[in-house]
């Protein structure tokens, strides 16, 4: 016998009924975006590698260690997207969307791939809901974006989450701040690896979780204390708008994101019931991304929420996010003639918008009733040989157990009226 094949390491299958919860979470995260005028975009799951090396940044772990990069049969270097923003901005440029009305508001949802060390909440294949607002640099837009992220979590009923917010400055103030930080880090007692990391991206050291490193960072210079006047005014205005929108946040001056493109407003959503992989979403403004990808020099802001992690958060809070699973009515039949009646009835019900199913294969009455129970249906229609000879089928309420005979010719209308299709 050949070996049983399994899903690759760091990936998993989502099966019914869990898949219903996945869809409910995904749809709840998307709904606020559609209500706010964001338009759906689909881009390929793989892009030319340069989209990510230039977009996400050569110094990030994502680009140096985590990408699934391969040459196709034509010798092109392609990469499975490790995130969705760079591809969306590539499409924004390619289709010259900046020549239309601004801001250009886009959303998408789909797979992302990172070769990370798998653990609870961290996978090699995961799903993001991603949104971007491009072409306008207005603090009110930053606040809209952040508030829409919060809305998705609230609509799911989540409460144990927190919005971490900071400003990462811009091209006028970040280089000076970076120098200050490099000088500060040079004086510390750091191992060689951390020193190397500090040379590539000193800001990343601020995010080091090890207590011996954190202990030395108490007096580290912070970007928020060294913002230019215009960047400070931008950040103040974002916070004012967030207050107006009823959004609360925690200042996170040491927040460092894993992608290089961020400027100004930067944020993360964390959930407190998830352990070490607590980030359920994150995003920020990116002044240079469009230009880095060969497009116009316009700003953008957006976020991505991890659907898989948000689902874990929903489970951690014990929330029931699925209104109705499975079908509304399940049709059980016995005998060849009853089968024809059943198949026809299910077809008509489905056409009328009622979620209906029936048994296939020879299961016997007991097996068929079990299938009806498992289906999640509130009602079953049982069509047996003897009943059929009398011209009736039984409509059974699976919750109360009550049952009544309905003439075969009236089954469709009666079922439809009962379950409300
Ligand atoms: P990110 O913070 O890298 O940002 O990812 C966003 C979210 O995706 C994370 O908060 C997390 O919930 C989920 N996620 C990331 N990696 C994994 C993983 N290995 N397994 C499971 N879930 C994961 C971005 O991707 C940016 N493109 C967000 C953005 C949009 N910034 C501006 N616009």
């Amino acid at each position: 016998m050949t070996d049983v094949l399994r899903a690759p390491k760091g990936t998993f299958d989502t099966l019914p009924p869990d898949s219903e919860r996945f869809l409910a979470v995904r749809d709840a995260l998307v709904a606020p975006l559609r209500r706010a005028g964001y338009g759906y975009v689909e881009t390929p799951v793989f892009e030319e590698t340069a989209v990510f090396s230039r977009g996400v940044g050569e110094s990030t772990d994502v680009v140096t260690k985590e990408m699934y990069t391969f040459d196709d049969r034509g010798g092109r270097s392609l990469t499975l997207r490790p995130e969705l923003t760079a591809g969306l901005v590539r499409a924004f440029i390619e289709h010259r969307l900046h020549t239309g009305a601004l801001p250009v508001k886009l959303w998408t949802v789909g797979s992302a791939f990172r070769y990370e060390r798998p653990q609870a909440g961290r996978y090699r294949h995961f799903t993001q809901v991603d949104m971007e607002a491009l072409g306008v640099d207005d603090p009110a837009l930053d606040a809209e974006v952040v508030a829409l992220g919060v809305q998705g979590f609230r609509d799911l009923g989540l409460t144990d989450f927190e919005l971490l917010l900071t400003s990462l400055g811009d091209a006028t103030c970040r280089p000076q701040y970076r120098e200050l930080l490099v000088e500060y880090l040079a004086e510390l007692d750091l191992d060689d690896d951390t020193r190397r990391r500090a040379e590539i991206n000193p800001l990343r050291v601020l995010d080091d979780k090890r207590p011996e490193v954190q202990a030395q960072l108490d007096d580290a210079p912070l970007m928020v204390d060294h913002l230019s006047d215009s960047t400070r005014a931008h950040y103040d205005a974002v916070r004012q708008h967030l207050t107006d929108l009823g959004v609360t946040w925690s200042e996170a001056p040491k927040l460092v994101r894993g992608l290089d493109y961020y400027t100004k407003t930067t944020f993360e959503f964390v959930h407190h019931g998830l352990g070490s992989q607590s980030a359920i979403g994150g995003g920020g403004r990116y002044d240079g991304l469009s230009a880095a990808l060969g497009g116009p020099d316009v700003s953008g802001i957006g976020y991505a929420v991890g659907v898989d992690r948000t689902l874990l958060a929903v489970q951690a809070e014990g929330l029931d996010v699925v209104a109705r699973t499975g079908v509304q009515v399940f049709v059980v039949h016995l005998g060849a003639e009853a089968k024809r009646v059943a198949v026809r009835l299910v077809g008509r019900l489905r056409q009328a918008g009622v979620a209906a199913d029936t048994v296939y294969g020879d299961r016997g009455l007991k097996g068929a009733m079990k299938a009806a129970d498992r289906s999640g249906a509130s009602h079953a229609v049982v069509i047996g040989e003897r009943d059929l000879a009398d011209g009736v089928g039984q409509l059974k309420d699976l919750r109360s157990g009550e049952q009544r005979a309905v003439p075969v010719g009236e089954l469709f209308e009666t079922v439809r009226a009962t379950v409300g299709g």
Side-chain angles (χ1 to χ4, degrees):
M1 214 168 83
T2 49
D3 283 345
V4 174
L5 296 171
R6 295 178 188 282
K9 183 171 178 189
T11 72
F12 55 89
D13 305 308
T14 307
L15 307 174
D18 290 344
S19 50
E20 285 296 334
R21 282 188 272 278
F22 175 89
L23 291 176
V25 168
R26 184 195 68 182
D27 294 349
L29 295 171
V30 164
L33 307 178
R34 306 184 76 160
R35 288 200 297 269
Y38 287 70
Y40 179 64
V41 178
E42 252 188 68
T43 62
V45 291
F46 57 82
E47 295 273 356
E48 269 182 63
T49 299
V51 169
F52 305 112
S53 52
R54 272 157 61 184
V56 173
E58 300 276 14
S59 76
T60 59
D61 280 355
V62 169
V63 168
T64 55
K65 299 185 191 156
E66 296 171 4
M67 294 207 303
Y68 283 89
T69 298
F70 57 97
D71 285 345
D72 74 3
R73 289 166 198 273
R76 301 169 197 88
S77 178
L78 300 175
T79 294
L80 297 184
R81 59 188 182 191
E83 56 105 58
L84 279 53
T85 307
L88 278 184
V89 175
R90 194 268 310 139
F92 165 82
I93 298 166
E94 182 171 338
H95 302 286
R96 301 181 53 76
L97 300 185
H98 57 280
T99 57
L102 301 177
V104 176
K105 296 174 162 192
L106 308 172
W107 70 273
T108 191
V109 57
S111 298
F113 308 85
R114 296 184 192 176
Y115 190 79
E116 296 200 80
R117 202 164 43 78
Q119 63 179 86
R122 187 163 73 193
Y123 313 110
R124 292 183 174 172
H125 167 242
F126 54 97
T127 302
Q128 287 186 339
V129 168
D130 186 285
M131 65 90 88
E132 315 291 344
L134 291 138
V136 173
D137 186 358
D138 177 344
L141 187 59
D142 299 41
E144 164 174 304
V145 166
V146 172
L148 287 170
V150 171
Q151 190 62 49
F153 299 131
R154 279 189 189 156
D155 289 351
L156 282 166
L158 289 170
T159 53
D160 198 13
F161 69 93
E162 190 177 354
L163 164 62
L164 306 179
L165 185 71
T166 195
S167 172
L168 288 182
D170 65 6
T172 62
C173 52
R174 191 140 90 214
Q176 282 147 292
Y177 163 70
R178 191 187 149 110
E179 265 176 47
L180 274 180
L181 183 61
V182 167
E183 277 168 33
Y184 180 87
L185 295 176
E187 302 297 316
L188 303 185
D189 176 22
L190 300 171
D191 58 84
D192 289 348
D193 254 11
T194 314
R195 251 180 221 301
R196 257 194 303 281
R197 198 141 29 100
E199 271 164 34
I200 301 167
N201 185 353
L203 270 82
R204 294 279 303 280
V205 180
L206 293 180
D207 194 36
D208 200 309
K209 301 281 184 288
R210 289 170 297 178
E212 65 274 21
V213 178
Q214 272 307 320
Q216 303 183 65
L217 293 173
D218 282 349
D219 303 323
L222 298 172
M223 184 69 246
V224 281
D225 297 327
H226 298 273
L227 296 174
S228 65
D229 288 348
S230 69
T231 312
R232 163 139 310 280
H234 188 280
Y235 191 42
D236 288 344
V238 171
R239 290 182 291 183
Q240 186 62 64
H241 286 299
L242 281 177
T243 304
D244 293 346
L245 289 170
V247 172
T248 52
W249 67 91
S250 305
E251 295 287 338
K254 290 185 182 166
L255 177 68
V256 178
R257 306 264 303 123
L259 314 162
D260 267 357
Y261 45 61
Y262 294 110
T263 54
K264 300 195 188 109
T265 313
T266 304
F267 55 95
E268 211 156 80
F269 300 104
V270 292
H271 191 273
H272 298 298
L274 291 189
S276 67
Q277 300 306 309
S278 61
I280 49 177
R285 189 164 275 289
Y286 39 85
D287 283 349
L289 180 56
S290 172
L293 293 176
D297 189 11
V298 295
S299 183
I301 178 164
Y303 65 74
V305 171
V307 179
D308 316 275
R309 277 193 205 166
T310 306
L311 177 55
L312 292 176
V314 159
Q315 282 160 354
E317 290 200 33
L319 299 169
D320 183 12
V321 290
V322 178
R324 189 179 67 203
T325 59
V327 297
Q328 295 163 278
V329 58
F330 197 94
V331 183
V332 170
H333 52 81
L334 260 191
E337 202 189 332
K339 182 173 190 169
R340 277 194 64 195
V341 174
V343 170
R344 213 167 37 230
L345 177 62
V346 167
R348 283 188 74 193
L349 286 168
R350 286 178 179 166
Q351 276 172 28
V354 176
D357 202 0
T358 186
V359 266
Y360 296 101
D362 186 12
R363 316 263 306 259
L365 189 60
K366 225 167 134 200
M369 286 314 292
K370 236 189 216 157
D373 280 335
R374 265 200 304 263
S375 73
S378 59
H379 290 77
V381 175
V382 184
I383 309 171
E385 273 168 329
R386 203 170 314 143
D387 275 341
L388 201 56
D390 296 338
V392 298
Q394 302 291 332
L395 177 58
K396 184 169 180 184
D397 184 323
L398 290 171
R399 312 233 155 104
S400 67
E402 273 168 37
Q403 145 171 347
R404 66 189 161 106
V406 177
V408 169
E410 292 168 24
L411 272 174
F412 168 70
E413 283 305 341
T414 310
V415 170
R416 189 156 79 150
T418 308
V419 303

